[in-house]
Amino acid sequence: KMLIMNGEETEGMELLEELTSSWPDNWRSHYSAAEIYEEASETEKAIKAYEKAIEMAENERTKAVLQQRIDRLK
């Protein structure tokens, strides 16, 4: 996320891909990806990543927080 914030979008997106491919079954990697997409103003990709994180999250409170993020983006 910091790379995107500092104008290094290419490097940030490369690390994002590495993150989700290294931990594809971890909701946190998709949550982090969503935050990065959000920072890069890629709203649709952010929503999809949040939705993926919701599918994988086990805690109902976590799912609710992630849904709030989606609702805020819409």
Side-chain angles (χ1 to χ4, degrees), residues 36-64:
I36 295 167
Y37 283 132
E38 208 174 328
E39 187 64 40
S41 299
E42 300 221 19
T43 305
E44 290 302 315
K45 289 181 179 181
I47 290 171
K48 287 181 182 181
Y50 281 129
E51 289 172 341
K52 184 74 171 176
I54 288 173
E55 290 174 19
M56 302 174 126
E58 296 175 9
N59 180 297
E60 291 304 315
R61 176 152 166 69
T62 300
K63 290 180 182 186

Side-chain angles (χ1 to χ4, degrees), residues 29-40:
S29 68
H30 297 283
Y31 169 71
S32 295
E35 287 189 312
I36 295 167
Y37 283 132
E38 208 174 328
E39 187 64 40

Side-chain angles (χ1 to χ4, degrees), residues 6-30:
N6 290 321
E8 299 175 45
E9 192 165 318
T10 301
E11 294 85 354
M13 290 301 174
E14 287 173 359
L15 286 175
L16 178 145
E17 294 300 322
E18 184 178 326
L19 173 70
T20 55
S21 64
S22 295
W23 294 283
D25 298 327
N26 187 316
W27 72 268
R28 288 178 183 90
S29 68
H30 297 283

